[in-house]
């Protein structure tokens, strides 16, 4: 059974700092990996999708990497801002025939202090 | 347009009530999902619809009944729920082929009293 672990569970940093969130998964037979952001009581906002053949993806101040063989992904946030405060969720996407399923980690709660 | 729209945003229902949650997307996605999320927990998959057919049911109790009337709509019918069913219910969609990027709605906050 695929298990996804995110470290740390919570992180508090001062504004402007660069930071790294970690995600690991137990079964390397994934199709893709997706990072999300969730604000309290809200839905999930897709940040980055990394296909299994890719090593990294970038969007603005965000950079996500994927090492499928070691079962790891990182989300790098540059020059953090208070508006980045949210829970960040990593999800691995596995294929079961014609279906795709997302398995989530428990998330990292990020607080960026002004 | 990468929007998935869920209604209502909030719902309070009694244990004997029947209610429905609705989800709509106009991205042409052929896979649609229901997830349940309890406080401070990750989303848990409930159902997957692929080309309007139920393809995955993660052993969800029968008091939750999904329906996919067409490729843009997904409903979740609720009946005889328990207080422990109170949660944020999230709908998502993805293209099914090619990119598997999933897009989520803002959720329905359900409270069962």
């Amino acid at each position: 059974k695929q298990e996804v672990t995110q470290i740390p569970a919570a992180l508090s940093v001062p504004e402007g700092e660069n930071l790294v969130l970690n995600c690991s998964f137990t079964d390397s037979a994934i199709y893709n990996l997706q990072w999300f952001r969730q604000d309290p009581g809200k839905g999930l906002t897709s940040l980055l999708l990394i296909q299994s053949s890719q090593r990294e993806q970038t969007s603005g101040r965000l950079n996500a990497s994927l090492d499928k063989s070691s079962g790891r992904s990182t989300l790098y946030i540059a020059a953090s801002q208070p508006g980045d405060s949210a829970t960040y969720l990593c999800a691995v996407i596995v294929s079961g025939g014609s279906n795709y399923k997302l398995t989530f980690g428990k998330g990292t709660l990020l607080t960026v202090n002004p | 347009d990468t929007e998935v729209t869920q209604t209502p945003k909030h719902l309070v229902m009694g244990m004997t009530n029947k209610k429905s949650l609705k989800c709509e997307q106009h991205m042409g996605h052929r896979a649609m999902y229901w997830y349940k999320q309890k406080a401070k927990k990750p989303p848990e998959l409930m159902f997957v619809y692929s080309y309007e057919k139920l393809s995955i049911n993660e052993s969800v109790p029968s008091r939750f009944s999904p329906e996919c009337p067409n490729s843009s709509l997904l409903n979740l019918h609720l009946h005889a729920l328990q207080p422990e069913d109170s949660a944020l219910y999230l709908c998502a969609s993805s293209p099914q082929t090619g990119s598997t990027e999933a897009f989520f709605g803002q959720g329905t906050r359900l409270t069962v009293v």
Side-chain angles (χ1 to χ4, degrees), chain A residues 7-87:
Chain A
I7 294 173
L11 181 64
S12 181
V13 300
E15 182 177 3
E17 194 160 296
N18 302 326
L19 57 99
V20 175
L21 308 181
N22 297 291
C23 172
S24 61
F25 44 95
T26 54
D27 186 347
S28 62
I30 66 169
Y31 197 78
N32 292 328
L33 184 144
Q34 193 168 356
W35 282 93
F36 294 90
R37 167 191 174 134
Q38 186 172 32
D39 293 296
K42 303 293 186 182
L44 278 64
T45 299
S46 177
L47 298 174
L48 289 164
L49 173 77
I50 309 177
Q51 299 191 11
S52 59
S53 59
Q54 297 175 318
R55 299 285 293 191
E56 65 178 86
Q57 278 283 1
T58 298
S59 176
R61 294 183 293 109
L62 305 179
N63 176 276
S65 67
L66 174 63
D67 185 341
K68 194 176 159 185
S69 61
S70 68
R72 294 181 182 180
S73 177
T74 62
L75 179 67
Y76 175 83
I77 302 177
S80 58
Q81 302 171 358
D84 294 331
S85 298
T87 296

Side-chain angles (χ1 to χ4, degrees), chain A residues 31-32 34 36 38 41-44 46 49 51 89 93 98-102 104-106, chain B residues 33 35 37 42-43 45 48 50 55-56 58 88 90 96 99-102 104-106 109:
Chain A
Y31 197 78
N32 292 328
Q34 193 168 356
F36 294 90
Q38 186 172 32
K42 303 293 186 182
L44 278 64
S46 177
L49 173 77
Q51 299 191 11
L89 292 158
I93 302 164
S98 61
N99 298 303
Y100 298 98
K101 292 174 58 173
L102 281 75
F104 287 87
K106 292 184 178 180
Chain B
Y33 310 77
Y35 282 84
Q37 187 179 27
L45 182 65
V48 179
S50 175
S55 58
I56 297 177
E58 295 284 273
L88 181 67
L90 294 163
Q96 185 73 8
S99 169
T100 60
E101 186 171 8
F104 281 76
Q106 287 299 299
R109 172 68 63 188

Side-chain angles (χ1 to χ4, degrees), chain B residues 3-76:
Chain B
E3 189 171 344
V4 177
T5 303
Q6 290 187 243
T7 56
K9 288 185 170 50
H10 302 276
L11 178 63
V12 179
M13 61 184 291
M15 290 188 284
T16 59
N17 292 159
K18 286 186 180 180
K19 297 286 185 183
S20 297
L21 309 185
K22 296 186 184 299
C23 174
E24 190 168 5
Q25 57 88 14
H26 296 287
M27 295 177 277
H29 290 173
R30 304 310 299 269
M32 296 187 76
Y33 310 77
W34 281 114
Y35 282 84
K36 174 182 177 179
Q37 187 179 27
K38 302 283 278 185
K40 299 189 184 302
K41 299 288 187 183
E44 294 180 349
L45 182 65
M46 300 175 71
F47 303 104
V48 179
Y49 271 83
S50 175
Y51 293 89
E52 295 126 65
K53 294 189 188 306
L54 182 64
S55 58
I56 297 177
N57 177 340
E58 295 284 273
S59 303
V60 178
S62 60
R63 57 185 184 269
F64 296 90
S65 176
E67 178 196 21
C68 189
N70 59 56
S71 60
S72 300
L73 293 174
L74 185 66
N75 299 321
L76 185 63

